[in-house]
Amino acid sequence: MKNVEIRIRAYDEASDLPKLSAIWFEASMAAHAFLGEARLREQRVAIETIYLPQAETWVACHAGAPVGFISLLDTFIGGLFVAPDRQGLGIGRALIAHALDLKGELSLEVYTANVQAYGFYKSLGFEELSRRATDSEGLPFENAMMRLKV
């Protein structure tokens, strides 16, 4: 079931917030378990109240239901998340392609401990620009800054 048929549409806070929050949390628990569940639960509140409302978010839907999303702050990818049971089907690639078509170039930061995501971005042609030893909250989780241009 590779490359499922998806439709990408703009985020609708009224109908999408609960589902995208759940996708974010499930995907984060799988990919960022090293951060700890308590920290992820705290971050979930910020995702719902700050990040999703402020970002330009695009939602990937399969059979009418959200299965992933990408949130942009201009050309910076604030987040790309696909429901864990839908990963590997081309949804993330489709969201990146959509954002690249809109913006012409993209940048992001990824935890280097998230080997799957780092490899995914490299496979799409993102180039690593730099690394920093701490995350945005100053905790000792290395991040890599990456960029992709058309």
Side-chain angles (χ1 to χ4, degrees), residues 6-75:
I6 64 162
R7 183 175 143 263
I8 297 175
R9 61 165 175 76
Y11 171 67
D12 175 15
E13 184 172 0
S15 62
D16 291 332
L17 182 59
K19 182 62 177 171
L20 297 194
S21 175
I23 290 170
W24 177 88
F25 186 71
E26 292 166 13
S28 293
M29 285 294 293
H32 303 147
F34 55 89
L35 296 176
E37 184 174 347
R39 183 164 184 233
L40 291 174
R41 287 194 184 282
E42 289 173 9
Q43 288 180 342
R44 186 175 187 175
V45 174
I47 294 297
E48 294 174 351
T49 61
I50 299 169
Y51 297 111
L52 280 173
Q54 291 182 0
E56 175 186 349
T57 298
W58 297 92
V59 182
C61 297
H62 174 65
V67 293
F69 67 96
I70 189 168
S71 292
L72 304 168
L73 301 166
D74 192 24
T75 62

Side-chain angles (χ1 to χ4, degrees), residues 54-129:
Q54 291 182 0
E56 175 186 349
T57 298
W58 297 92
V59 182
C61 297
H62 174 65
V67 293
F69 67 96
I70 189 168
S71 292
L72 304 168
L73 301 166
D74 192 24
T75 62
F76 184 80
I77 299 172
L80 171 67
F81 295 91
V82 175
D85 65 341
R86 299 302 178 103
Q87 292 179 5
L89 302 176
I91 296 165
R93 287 178 182 275
L95 286 164
I96 292 286
H98 179 79
L100 192 59
D101 285 347
L102 290 172
K103 304 295 182 179
E105 73 174 67
L106 299 169
S107 63
L108 59 87
E109 278 194 299
V110 61
Y111 288 110
T112 57
N114 186 349
V115 177
Q116 182 179 354
Y118 183 86
F120 168 74
Y121 294 124
K122 288 290 280 186
S123 75
L124 293 177
F126 278 82
E127 294 180 1
E128 184 175 322
L129 303 176

